[in-house]
Amino acid sequence: MQKLLISVVALIALVAGVVIYNTLPKPQPQALVYEPARALAPFTLESSLGSDVTNDDLKGQWTLLFTGYTFCPDICPTTMADLRQALPELTKQADEPVRVWMISVDPQRDTVKRVTDYASFFGEEFVGVRAEHKELYPFVNGLGLMYSIPEEGETDYLVNHSAAIVLVNPDGERQAIFKAEHVMGEVPTVNMKTMVTDFAIIASGYN
């Protein structure tokens, strides 16, 4: 009788624990998460992979899309180096591969070779992508990002562009956007520690 009583008490405690756990507030990502995820318009862009990339090349993997350019003096190299450091931890959080696309917003100077050399420096998981303005602008705008276009004839210029990172899910859909932190006197970049935490939440709830 005593064993039965102990078993009943243990079962009640287990059920109560499950109920309490399920009623606790679940951790929420700080990133802007799209629910439902948003489809990307069809695109074709040149890449460092040796061939053009399309929507299909985003499927079957998690992809971090970042706008930048090879002549960028601060935000781009800082963010790319941070992503390289964070990538092993991001990979642990997902069943699918994690890739980074650096989308050049300087088509006047960034050739396929330049973006290939630039992206490959950071690792095989990094892909350099480029296009002319007529293809590039709608693609970048569709991601919710922006970039400036230099005056005609300019050769020595800076390109203003978004420092945020867009997350595309394995279905090739825009899942979230990690916004950059703007601190006085510092280069605006995405906080990688926060991004890793947010990514773990998002990936665990995917499908």
Side-chain angles (χ1 to χ4, degrees):
M1 184 68 180
Q2 186 176 8
K3 288 183 178 180
L4 178 61
L5 181 60
I6 292 173
S7 298
V8 171
V9 171
L11 180 60
I12 292 173
L14 177 62
V15 172
V18 171
V19 171
I20 292 172
Y21 175 80
N22 288 332
T23 57
L24 289 174
K26 299 295 188 293
Q28 296 298 315
Q30 295 183 38
L32 172 60
V33 179
Y34 300 109
E35 294 291 354
R38 300 181 181 181
L40 293 177
F43 66 84
T44 300
L45 307 169
E46 296 177 277
S47 83
S48 60
L49 297 175
S51 61
D52 290 350
V53 289
T54 67
N55 300 67
D56 288 340
D57 293 287
L58 290 171
K59 295 179 179 179
Q61 63 187 37
W62 289 95
T63 314
L64 298 163
L65 306 183
F66 171 70
T67 53
Y69 63 112
T70 64
F71 288 89
C72 179
D74 41 38
I75 296 174
C76 308
T78 299
T79 299
M80 293 286 277
D82 287 348
L83 284 167
R84 177 172 60 182
Q85 188 170 0
L87 206 56
E89 191 59 38
L90 291 168
T91 302
K92 291 178 185 177
Q93 310 298 334
D95 295 329
E96 300 84 0
V98 181
R99 300 285 183 264
V100 176
W101 281 18
M102 196 284 282
I103 305 157
S104 171
V105 289
D106 186 13
Q108 181 172 306
R109 295 179 295 186
D110 280 348
T111 62
V112 172
K113 184 180 187 309
R114 282 196 68 91
V115 297
T116 298
D117 291 344
Y118 191 84
S120 62
F121 173 80
F122 295 94
E124 61 182 15
E125 299 88 357
F126 289 76
V127 178
V129 175
R130 74 164 307 280
E132 297 303 319
H133 286 299
K134 63 180 180 179
E135 293 89 16
L136 180 66
Y137 181 79
F139 177 67
V140 172
N141 187 56
L143 295 175
L145 305 177
M146 55 73 64
Y147 67 95
S148 65
I149 300 174
E151 294 291 331
E152 187 174 352
E154 276 192 273
T155 56
D156 185 16
Y157 54 85
L158 297 176
V159 179
N160 294 319
H161 61 90
S162 302
I165 297 172
V166 172
L167 176 66
V168 174
N169 66 30
D171 287 325
E173 301 168 325
R174 189 163 41 128
Q175 186 72 65
I177 183 166
F178 305 105
K179 297 184 177 181
E181 294 183 344
H182 294 266
V183 180
M184 186 70 71
E186 296 184 13
V187 174
T189 55
V190 172
N191 184 305
M192 292 293 140
K193 184 175 180 181
T194 302
M195 189 181 76
V196 168
T197 301
D198 284 355
F199 178 75
I201 298 171
I202 294 168
S204 66
Y206 176 69
N207 287 345

